[in-house]
């Protein structure tokens, strides 16, 4: 399940999207009438944004998408406009998917599936850099440490990590200590904070 925000100025479209997204098993954590309202109100705690290219007030969906890119947030463009120049500008912002109005539930399902798959692939690709010399750890992680790191960032307990990876809790604790030493932190919160900051730079 992904946390979705909707940035759209047509009330009917918003209501329809909320029903469709919810029916697909995702959670709508916010809907916004304009780019200004979104940027002034969001806490950025979401996975995917669905953004209409043309919005009320001054900022366009393209402007909002630029802010999404700065924060490495995935987004889907939504529009009824098929103007070539607009589509070219939208494409240059690298949306994860594109929906045209009127949309069907299958269109939304496919778009969100593509976004989720791409995000997971990119995340796995990003984590692989920790297996070689990098700017976060004093020395590279082992493959086992990398597996445990991913579990730590998803809030698994040591017991849950052990069950997931088929190793004992004591072995998990050993690897966690090594990860902390290599990252120069002493808690999960500090580890998460440091890695999140690393990916945002």
């Amino acid at each position: 399940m992904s946390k979705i925000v909707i940035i759209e100025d047509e009330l009917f479209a918003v209501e329809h999207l909320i029903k469709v997204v919810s029916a697909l098993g995702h959670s709508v954590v916010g809907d916004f009438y304009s780019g200004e309202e979104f940027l002034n109100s969001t806490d950025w705690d979401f996975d995917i944004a669905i953004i209409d290219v043309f919005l009320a007030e001054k900022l366009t969906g393209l402007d909002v998408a630029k802010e999404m890119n700065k924060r490495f947030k995935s987004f889907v463009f939504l529009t009824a406009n098929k103007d070539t120049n607009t589509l070219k500008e939208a494409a240059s912002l690298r949306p994860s998917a594109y929906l045209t109005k009127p949309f069907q539930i299958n269109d939304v399902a496919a778009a969100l599936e593509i976004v989720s798959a791409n995000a997971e692939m990119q995340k796995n690709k990003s984590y692989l850099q920790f297996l070689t010399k990098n700017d976060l750890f004093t020395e590279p992680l082992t493959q086992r440490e990398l597996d445990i790191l991913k579990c730590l960032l998803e809030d698994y307990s040591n017991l849950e990590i052990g069950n997931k990876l088929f190793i004992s809790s004591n072995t998990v604790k050993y690897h966690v200590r090594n990860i902390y030493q290599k990252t120069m932190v002493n808690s999960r919160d500090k580890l998460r904070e440091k890695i999140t900051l690393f990916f945002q730079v």
Side-chain angles (χ1 to χ4, degrees):
M1 182 181 74
S2 296
K3 293 187 287 187
I4 313 289
V5 296
I6 299 169
I7 308 169
E8 162 67 69
D9 59 1
E10 294 181 13
L11 181 60
F12 174 78
V14 172
E15 292 176 344
H16 186 40
L17 272 173
I18 290 175
K19 290 179 181 178
V20 169
V21 169
S22 299
L24 291 170
H26 301 288
S27 174
V28 177
V29 296
D31 60 271
F32 304 90
Y33 179 74
S34 67
E36 285 84 350
E37 182 190 12
F38 168 74
L39 293 176
N40 288 331
S41 305
T42 184
D43 58 5
W44 297 99
D45 184 19
F46 59 88
D47 302 309
I48 305 168
I50 299 177
I51 312 171
D52 194 351
V53 172
F54 294 102
L55 295 168
E57 301 187 21
K58 185 176 180 180
L59 293 179
T60 68
L62 303 177
D63 296 318
V64 175
K66 292 173 184 176
E67 294 300 317
M68 295 284 175
N69 283 332
K70 290 178 184 178
R71 294 174 178 266
F72 302 99
K73 287 291 185 180
S74 299
F75 61 92
V76 175
F77 272 139
L78 171 67
T79 187
N81 188 294
K82 297 181 180 180
D83 173 71
T84 301
N85 291 332
T86 301
L87 292 176
K88 284 183 178 179
E89 187 175 359
S92 72
L93 294 169
R94 305 184 306 280
S96 299
Y98 206 103
L99 287 169
T100 56
K101 298 176 183 177
F103 53 84
Q104 303 297 322
I105 187 170
N106 288 341
D107 300 327
V108 179
L112 295 181
E113 185 65 29
I114 290 170
V115 176
S116 297
N118 287 343
E120 186 65 26
M121 183 174 64
Q122 186 59 42
K123 183 173 71 173
N124 289 334
K125 181 180 177 181
S126 298
Y127 278 129
L128 291 178
Q129 65 187 300
F130 297 151
L131 296 176
T132 58
K133 186 176 180 180
N134 59 78
D135 295 328
L136 180 62
F137 295 91
T138 57
E139 60 181 282
L141 296 182
T142 64
Q143 181 61 60
R144 177 57 82 194
E145 289 169 349
L146 181 62
D147 293 338
I148 290 175
L149 172 66
K150 292 179 181 179
C151 292
L152 289 173
L153 296 177
E154 293 177 10
D155 284 331
Y156 282 83
S157 67
N158 285 353
L159 179 60
E160 290 170 332
I161 295 173
N163 290 338
K164 180 179 176 67
L165 300 179
F166 303 104
I167 57 179
S168 70
S169 293
N170 285 335
T171 301
V172 173
K173 291 178 183 177
Y174 169 78
H175 287 303
V176 170
R177 283 197 300 270
N178 285 343
I179 293 171
Y180 285 173
Q181 288 174 359
K182 290 180 178 182
T183 325
M184 296 179 288
V185 300
N186 57 12
S187 71
R188 294 187 182 213
D189 287 341
K190 292 293 184 182
L191 178 67
R192 185 180 296 104
E193 180 182 328
K194 197 166 187 178
I195 289 180
T196 299
L197 181 62
F198 177 82
F199 280 135
Q200 289 178 347
V201 171

